[in-house]
Amino acid sequence: MKKRSLATIFVLATIAASGAFAQGGFQDPNAPQVQHHQKGDFKRGGFVNGEQTLSKAADATSWVDDQYVILQGNIVKQVGKDDYIFKDASGELQVEIDRKAWRGQDISPSDEVKLYGEVDKSWNKTEVDIDRVEKIVK
């Protein structure tokens, strides 16, 4: 009886968790397409400062650790679980985008985006940890 109850709970928890994490992200056109439907999607609001200046990927060598940057361009490729190549008119840069930063949006390489994040400098590379991905609608 106890084994059957535990098995039932395990199966139900697995089913519930499998649909809970489908919340947008990078859409590679070369990968097989999978449809994700999300129940209860909603948009969260907040303050938007239109006076913030954009940073360029080519300026990454002059950025300091923990500096806040805003990038505008395209996410062109996924290179790791949370690592992506961002490209703007000045060049390319590796960025790290956690699942929460996508905010339910599906982004493809042809979509122009604004990325809000913080510089993470280490000994041999500069990366940007992205807090928010904003799709630019034209």
Side-chain angles (χ1 to χ4, degrees):
M1 179 74 171
K2 288 182 183 180
K3 288 182 181 180
R4 185 176 294 181
S5 297
L6 288 175
T8 304
I9 291 171
F10 177 74
V11 169
L12 292 175
T14 303
I15 291 170
S18 65
F21 299 110
Q23 297 186 5
F26 180 72
Q27 300 298 317
D28 188 347
N30 300 325
Q33 296 297 316
V34 179
Q35 293 291 335
H36 296 284
H37 298 283
Q38 300 167 3
K39 183 177 179 182
D41 282 348
F42 61 93
K43 185 174 180 180
R44 296 181 183 186
F47 177 72
V48 177
N49 183 359
E51 301 298 319
Q52 295 171 322
T53 59
L54 295 175
S55 301
K56 296 179 182 176
D59 297 335
T61 54
S62 65
W63 295 340
V64 297
D65 195 30
D66 298 329
Q67 176 181 342
Y68 193 77
V69 294
I70 302 171
L71 300 165
Q72 185 169 334
N74 301 80
I75 299 169
V76 293
K77 185 166 72 169
Q78 184 172 10
V79 294
K81 180 183 175 196
D82 293 332
D83 297 322
Y84 301 86
I85 300 298
F86 167 81
K87 182 177 182 178
D88 64 11
S90 70
E92 292 184 348
L93 177 70
Q94 185 168 323
V95 296
E96 182 178 323
I97 306 174
D98 292 329
R99 180 179 49 86
K100 291 179 183 179
W102 295 105
R103 300 181 186 215
Q105 302 173 98
D106 290 325
I107 306 293
S108 72
S110 61
D111 293 322
E112 189 173 2
V113 294
K114 253 188 193 178
L115 304 179
Y116 299 82
E118 166 175 313
V119 176
D120 183 18
K121 276 198 148 182
S122 61
W123 287 98
N124 58 352
K125 78 176 185 181
T126 299
E127 190 174 69
V128 180
D129 293 330
I130 302 300
D131 301 320
R132 179 169 51 126
V133 176
E134 184 179 293
K135 190 177 201 176
I136 297 177
V137 181
K138 294 180 180 180

